[in-house]
Amino acid sequence: MSCYLAYNETQELPNMNLHDQIKRRRRELGLTQKAMESRIGMTRQQYQRLEARGNPRLDSLHLVAQGLNAELMLIPREKLHAVRQLLEENDIQGEHTPPAPDEDPWHGLLDGLGQGDEPKERE
């Protein structure tokens, strides 16, 4: 599985590690490391270490993703191509507009997938 910080931008993500994706997203939103302190309740120093190759806990990554209006995603390799294709189609159709920090850029993204593409729920 691949791990990505999910938001609208797809360019260069496969070659970027998670730390670089977090930094890039923060900069796209025009946020400083200090501004992240009030958005996620983490000190600037803690956040700075995370961006600089820290080894954060999963709950810390979840907080950071929320503060960046993004989601952490584990994408099964067999679905990675389909997810990338959907994102690229949105970019080609001119739908790529950086979202406001309080918008959900993923809302409805996978709605058009066929029933066979949806994950099965465990009983």
Side-chain angles (χ1 to χ4, degrees), residues 27-67:
R27 288 179 174 170
E28 285 177 353
L29 293 174
L31 298 170
T32 63
Q33 290 179 339
K34 181 69 176 165
M36 292 301 292
E37 183 173 7
S38 63
R39 291 178 71 94
I40 64 175
M42 183 182 290
T43 68
R44 183 191 58 79
Q45 291 85 358
Q46 290 171 312
Y47 184 82
Q48 187 176 31
R49 278 193 301 270
L50 185 143
E51 274 192 5
R53 312 279 185 262
N55 189 12
R57 297 184 329 223
L58 185 56
D59 60 341
S60 296
L61 283 175
H62 182 73
L63 282 174
V64 169
Q66 286 180 332

Side-chain angles (χ1 to χ4, degrees), residues 68-88:
L68 296 173
N69 189 34
E71 296 290 332
L72 290 175
M73 295 181 74
L74 287 177
I75 303 171
R77 288 187 181 156
E78 64 271 12
K79 300 289 185 182
L80 188 57
H81 178 73
V83 170
R84 282 185 183 154
Q85 186 175 2
L86 284 170
L87 293 172
E88 288 169 5

